[in-house]
Amino acid sequence: MSKVDVLLGLQWGDEGKGKIVDVLAPKYDVVARFQGGPNAGHTLEFDGIKHVLHQIPSGIFRETTRNVIGNGVVLDAVIFKAEIEKLAKFNLNVKKNLFISKKATLILPTHRLLDAAYEKAKGENKIGSTLKGIGPTYQDKIGRQGLRVGDILSADFKDRLKRLTDVHFKILKDHDVTYNWAELEAQFLDAVQFLKEFNLIESEYFLNRELKAGSSILAEGAQGALLDIDFGSYPFVTSSNTVTAGACTGLGIAPRHIGEVYGIFKAYSTRVGGGPFPTELLDTDGEAMRKEGNEFGSTTGRARRCGWIDLPSLKYSIMINGVTQLLMMKADVLSIFPTIKVCTHYELKDGSVTDMIPYEIVHEKISPVYTEIKGWGTDLRQSKENFPAELNDYIKLLETELNVPITLVSTGPDRTQTIHRSLVTV
Ligand code: GDP
Ligand code: IMO
Ligand code: MG
């Protein structure tokens, strides 16, 4: 029996999961997404081409890797169709290499409308949602009235669709939302027809059969641990369990079958949308970081908030995920700074100092306590194993504080700009 390794973000998303899943995919027989939906944009770069995937797992460009969209995912058929069509020119065998759980929940056009209506109603307290209908779809799943991918195969699918959209129409009326349902429905039904041409499977049986046969499986997380519905800075979170445990429920894998947990983080921090961000830089350093790191959302184009690395939050993410290896991304971006700050603790309102995330983080101002180290000041993008001494000091400091080895360092967006220090894979 083989194991399922899990790769997930330890911060607020956009850590570089897509790049690393693509790098690791040749070592895995199967890559499986376990939660989230098209809120996510996972970027891959190779041969001078940049690809952004939204729902399709990031192993899709590797010929021998099969890809699964698990039951924990919320799937937008319209976006799925567009995504597949965009890949057409690369001659990938998606009909053979892509499998979709019948138990994944469908995002309806009305879920997107509801997302926008709920955000608008929140006013200044809005979450900063990607408005892809993620929250309302998970709401319907938990409320036991959602539609699932497998439902599209049933003869009465249109009746079921009507039952649910009638519920949505009533809510949308209360919010004074106007829309052209005939147009949205036609587009949705066309995409549903398209979806029927794919391998719609019971993915929990598929994956467990693969495990028994000795196949290696990599579970690809979306978002990040600090956006987790239970452990993130609620309510400024996404609507799924983004943590390792989410891979169990989102794929039907028993906890004892989890192997390595790759925790991926940027050498600094970013966040898109609302919510607390203790190390956020609202000054020229923050702007320089955003510019150098090209910190603009891959799906929405929104500017990402930027700040120094935050060890209390990384320690928390490592704890709740059981991280066994750390992968550090975007080290090249910090080359522009003569001095690099590392937040080791938080100072709370009452003057006390802690390295834990306090419950009050959402409502009370928390001041970061920094230690500083000298920057490396050299371009890392062409580097091989020999890092400048200051970068090695930075890595050592993080490893000592976090107590988990950093086994991979990324020095640029391309597949090849990846330094394996002592990465252990299957
Ligand atoms: P994901 O959501 O975790 O897959 O991350 P995104 O793809 O949304 O955002 C990461 C961004 O950083 C993308 O534009 C990547 O191309 C880019 N990227 C990934 N690794 C590196 C790196 O080591 N250095 C630099 N400069 N960019 C990187
Ligand atoms: P990847 O997988 C960064 C953020 C949104 C918002 C909050 C809730 O690319 O790392 P939602 O659309 O889920 O209702 O938004 O979560 N968010 C992300 N931020 N990367 C993501 O995904 C994100 N997915 C959602 O900006 O603050
Ligand atoms: Mg992203």
Side-chain angles (χ1 to χ4, degrees), residues 163-181:
R163 268 205 297 280
L164 184 52
T165 49
D166 279 348
V167 173
H168 294 164
F169 294 154
K170 281 190 193 141
I171 308 171
L172 289 167
K173 197 163 171 224
D174 281 348
H175 286 265
D176 282 331
V177 181
T178 50
Y179 48 90
N180 182 338
W181 177 242

Side-chain angles (χ1 to χ4, degrees), residues 12-17 33 37 39-42 115 119 127-136 221-224 227 235-239 271-274 298-300 302 304:
W12 290 281
D14 300 329
E15 295 89 351
K17 299 174 290 291
R33 276 276 312 264
N39 43 355
H42 291 187
D115 213 356
E119 277 285 80
I127 310 295
S129 163
T130 59
L131 304 179
K132 295 291 189 293
I134 308 298
Q223 290 79 54
L227 288 172
F236 298 98
V237 292
T238 191
S239 299
R271 178 166 200 164
V272 203
S298 43
T299 306
T300 57
R302 288 185 292 175
R304 296 179 184 141

Side-chain angles (χ1 to χ4, degrees), residues 115-423:
D115 213 356
Y118 293 149
E119 277 285 80
K120 193 166 167 218
K122 286 194 174 94
E124 281 199 349
N125 297 320
K126 69 174 184 178
I127 310 295
S129 163
T130 59
L131 304 179
K132 295 291 189 293
I134 308 298
T137 306
Y138 278 116
Q139 244 177 309
D140 278 347
K141 171 181 175 172
I142 301 299
R144 299 167 297 187
Q145 59 181 6
L147 292 178
R148 306 197 289 181
V149 167
D151 295 346
I152 67 174
L153 303 174
S154 68
D156 68 342
F157 177 66
K158 283 194 188 157
D159 296 337
R160 294 192 207 185
L161 177 65
K162 183 170 183 323
R163 268 205 297 280
L164 184 52
T165 49
D166 279 348
V167 173
H168 294 164
F169 294 154
K170 281 190 193 141
I171 308 171
L172 289 167
K173 197 163 171 224
D174 281 348
H175 286 265
D176 282 331
V177 181
T178 50
Y179 48 90
N180 182 338
W181 177 242
E183 213 171 86
L184 291 172
E185 187 186 35
Q187 191 189 29
F188 175 70
L189 291 175
D190 170 61
V192 159
Q193 211 50 37
F194 181 81
L195 187 58
K196 281 184 190 167
E197 295 168 21
F198 285 78
N199 296 303
L200 310 182
I201 61 164
E202 323 255 339
S203 59
E204 62 278 32
Y205 279 115
F206 174 94
L207 291 167
N208 281 285
R209 230 176 4 243
E210 290 292 328
L211 277 182
K212 252 194 185 144
S215 299
S216 52
I217 300 178
L218 179 64
E220 173 181 0
Q223 290 79 54
L226 303 176
L227 288 172
D228 180 89
I229 184 74
D230 283 282
F231 300 107
S233 44
Y234 192 89
F236 298 98
V237 292
T238 191
S239 299
S240 62
N241 280 118
T242 59
V243 294
T244 306
C248 294
T249 56
L251 295 174
I253 299 288
R256 71 193 171 96
H257 296 315
I258 300 294
E260 293 294 320
V261 180
Y262 306 112
I264 178 164
F265 68 103
K266 282 180 193 172
Y268 50 99
S269 308
T270 65
R271 178 166 200 164
V272 203
F277 185 176
T279 63
E280 181 170 15
L281 290 168
L282 298 166
D283 56 10
T284 49
D285 278 350
E287 271 169 41
M289 221 178 247
R290 182 156 43 249
K291 187 159 173 272
E292 187 67 14
N294 190 23
E295 295 297 355
F296 297 91
S298 43
T299 306
T300 57
R302 288 185 292 175
R304 296 179 184 141
R305 300 157 67 192
C306 295
W308 298 114
I309 200 159
D310 177 338
L311 297 187
S313 69
L314 279 177
K315 283 180 185 171
Y316 183 74
S317 294
I318 289 168
M319 175 180 80
I320 56 178
N321 285 299
V323 172
T324 60
Q325 301 184 48
L326 288 168
L327 319 184
M328 183 166 85
M329 309 300 290
K330 301 190 105 164
D332 54 302
V333 176
L334 291 187
S335 299
I336 58 168
F337 294 104
T339 303
I340 290 167
K341 289 191 183 178
V342 175
C343 166
T344 57
H345 294 83
Y346 298 144
E347 187 179 327
L348 309 185
K349 211 169 113 192
D350 63 3
S352 62
V353 170
T354 178
D355 69 348
M356 287 160 54
I357 301 184
Y359 181 80
E360 293 71 25
I361 192 162
V362 179
H363 303 291
E364 284 179 16
K365 186 165 164 41
I366 282 171
S367 308
V369 178
Y370 289 114
T371 188
E372 291 186 0
I373 73 155
K374 194 169 172 295
W376 41 92
T378 33
D379 187 353
L380 298 176
R381 282 169 290 197
Q382 309 303 328
S383 51
K384 295 286 168 231
E385 280 76 37
N386 288 334
F387 284 151
E390 295 85 356
L391 174 55
N392 283 329
D393 289 345
Y394 190 58
I395 292 172
K396 203 158 168 198
L397 171 73
L398 300 185
E399 287 186 327
T400 307
E401 288 283 331
L402 301 172
N403 212 15
V404 181
I406 297 177
T407 57
L408 181 151
V409 176
S410 175
T411 56
D414 193 86
R415 249 184 205 169
T416 55
Q417 293 168 308
T418 311
I419 313 292
H420 296 262
R421 294 182 81 229
S422 50
L423 183 82

